[in-house]
Amino acid sequence: MASRLRSSHKHARLVELAPGPQQQRRPLFFTQPAQPTARRGLGTRQIQIRLLTTPTARKQEDISAKQAAAFGSLHLTWPHKGWNDSLVHEVVASHRKPRTFGDKVAWRAIRICRWAMDLVTGMGPEPKVNSKSAGKEVTVYKPMTESQWMIRFIFLETLAGIPGIVAGTIRHLHSIRRFQADQGWIKTLLEESYNERMHLLTFLDMYKPGWLMRFMVFAAQGVFYNTMFISYLISPGVCHRFVGYLEEEAVHTYTRCLEEMDKGLLTEWTDPNFEIPEIAIRYWNIPEGKRDMRTLVLYIRADEASHRGVNHTLGNLDQASDRNPFIEEDANVSHMQVAAIKPAGLERGEVVGR
């Protein structure tokens, strides 16, 4: 009996499959251990499935799904009046040269913030090269990926949404404490902050930040909010100039992104099948046939250009007595449309003389 079992085991130990005419030769395999091997493989697969479907993973997936659904059906407190094609293409990157000591302080602070932002998000110029045609040095930037752009956009918008709410809150408290009406500034400032937050919610529908970025945003928000709050109590005019310069940098950022898209460096976003979030379509009233990433970036850049013009204008005014020139008394006129074509803002003489 033992001899027959050993003989049977010997014959069943190895089996070689003969290759067909169009079939490559397969390796030898053991026939008897096949069933245990399959069981071990199934067990490993079951372990992998359990790891992928842990309560924590399922909870994160549920939260992401709920957030996406909430973003798509979000109630719009201040619906956007939209942009026309001619205006969004007229937006250009610009810079208002500092004129006063306060302007220089604001500009220097923005340069420090820009350096830190570039360091955190990985944006920076390559070494300068001599341009033979122009006879001068030009800055050549290293292209960024879609993921790097998303990180920069999200980090930028988390900070850009702070100044408007700080200024609006302080002016609201001043109005209550002094028993005086505001000069029309509060609504514009709160609407600006809301607009920046809508930018952020749009990007969050396309990119989910990790724990490191969340921690950095948490830390940056704590520092930036309190700094803005104290600074606005001391010198609101300088703060508005600071925000004007901040929005200049935002316009530069989105302009560079558009340039890289036009050069074909961001293939994912230029893919005809790429879909922008539903919240963006609803908020900006983006028409059919234009619901692509390039149009979305154009609209957001136009928003930033309008904030640039508004804050440079407010920085030129008397903070206590001058009236906000961007009050929308006519429902058919949007202050965002007016401010977007005023890169340096309105001078005080233009406002008071109206």
Side-chain angles (χ1 to χ4, degrees):
M1 176 66 71
S3 175
R4 285 199 300 271
L5 288 175
R6 284 196 298 270
S7 176
S8 175
H9 178 73
K10 181 185 300 183
H11 290 296
R13 183 172 50 184
L14 295 174
V15 175
E16 181 177 0
L17 296 179
Q22 297 181 351
Q23 182 181 11
Q24 294 182 352
R25 186 181 182 88
R26 295 182 182 178
L28 298 176
F29 66 93
F30 288 93
T31 56
Q32 285 184 347
Q35 189 173 359
T37 302
R39 284 198 297 268
R40 285 197 297 270
L42 180 61
T44 304
R45 185 177 180 184
Q46 288 175 343
I47 293 173
Q48 291 175 345
I49 293 174
R50 284 198 295 269
L51 289 175
L52 293 174
T53 58
T54 58
T56 303
R58 289 195 300 269
K59 183 178 180 181
Q60 290 178 348
E61 291 178 359
D62 292 343
I63 292 174
S64 298
K66 289 179 181 178
Q67 286 180 344
F71 289 170
S73 60
L74 189 68
H75 172 71
L76 302 178
T77 305
W78 281 294
H80 201 287
K81 293 190 176 181
W83 293 105
N84 57 65
D85 291 339
S86 60
L87 194 146
V88 297
H89 288 94
E90 290 177 5
V91 173
V92 294
S94 66
H95 173 57
R96 177 190 171 101
K97 292 184 178 180
R99 303 175 188 176
T100 65
F101 176 75
D103 292 353
K104 294 177 182 179
V105 171
W107 175 239
R108 179 56 60 185
I110 280 296
R111 296 313 298 168
I112 295 174
C113 292
R114 173 62 189 266
W115 172 82
M117 179 73 73
D118 290 349
L119 182 65
V120 170
T121 59
M123 174 186 280
E126 294 180 344
K128 293 184 178 181
V129 297
N130 291 324
S131 174
K132 297 180 180 179
S133 59
K136 61 180 181 180
E137 288 188 341
V138 296
T139 303
V140 180
Y141 290 97
K142 182 180 179 180
M144 295 172 62
T145 64
E146 288 90 346
S147 184
Q148 288 176 315
W149 277 116
M150 274 296 168
I151 292 174
R152 186 177 182 87
F153 291 163
I154 290 175
F155 202 80
L156 174 65
E157 299 300 344
T158 57
L159 298 179
I162 293 176
I165 198 71
V166 170
T169 300
I170 292 177
R171 294 191 68 91
H172 175 76
L173 295 176
H174 283 181
S175 177
I176 294 174
R177 185 170 64 252
R178 296 173 180 176
F179 305 106
Q180 295 177 354
D182 181 69
Q183 297 297 323
W185 293 44
I186 295 175
K187 180 178 181 296
T188 297
L189 293 170
L190 296 182
E191 188 175 3
E192 173 189 311
S193 181
Y194 178 84
N195 178 255
E196 300 287 8
R197 190 167 63 88
M198 293 302 293
H199 296 175
L200 175 64
L201 295 180
T202 298
F203 292 136
L204 288 176
D205 204 297
M206 295 185 282
Y207 185 89
K208 303 303 179 186
W211 66 268
L212 178 59
M213 186 175 182
R214 291 174 182 271
F215 173 77
M216 292 175 62
V217 169
F218 179 80
Q221 186 183 81
V223 174
F224 191 53
Y225 180 91
N226 289 287
T227 302
M228 279 296 302
F229 187 87
I230 296 172
S231 300
Y232 202 86
L233 291 173
I234 298 172
S235 180
V238 174
C239 289
H240 284 296
R241 185 71 69 222
F242 172 86
V243 178
Y245 287 141
L246 175 66
E247 301 298 350
E248 287 182 0
E249 297 298 326
V251 173
H252 278 286
T253 292
Y254 288 112
T255 299
R256 177 177 159 184
C257 179
L258 288 169
E259 291 174 354
E260 291 193 6
M261 291 177 68
D262 293 340
K263 291 178 182 178
L265 300 175
L266 303 174
T267 55
E268 181 182 343
W269 287 350
T270 55
D271 189 323
N273 296 322
F274 183 83
E275 297 180 357
I276 61 175
E278 180 65 26
I279 186 175
I281 297 173
R282 291 181 55 240
Y283 179 62
W284 281 280
N285 298 313
I286 303 177
E288 289 280 356
K290 296 182 180 180
R291 295 173 180 177
D292 53 68
M293 190 63 181
R294 190 176 189 280
T295 300
L296 177 60
V297 174
L298 280 170
Y299 282 17
I300 294 177
R301 186 183 67 165
D303 287 348
E304 306 294 3
S306 71
H307 302 325
R308 175 186 62 186
V310 167
N311 281 278
H312 276 318
T313 299
L314 298 182
N316 296 333
L317 303 180
D318 185 290
Q319 304 296 303
S321 60
D322 286 347
R323 177 177 176 272
N324 174 21
F326 299 109
I327 297 176
E328 298 176 8
E329 296 177 346
D330 186 348
N332 296 321
V333 177
S334 171
H335 76 271
M336 300 185 74
Q337 307 268 353
V338 176
I341 58 177
K342 294 287 185 180
L346 298 170
E347 298 299 328
R348 187 167 186 269
E350 299 178 75
V351 176
V352 176
R354 288 187 172 185

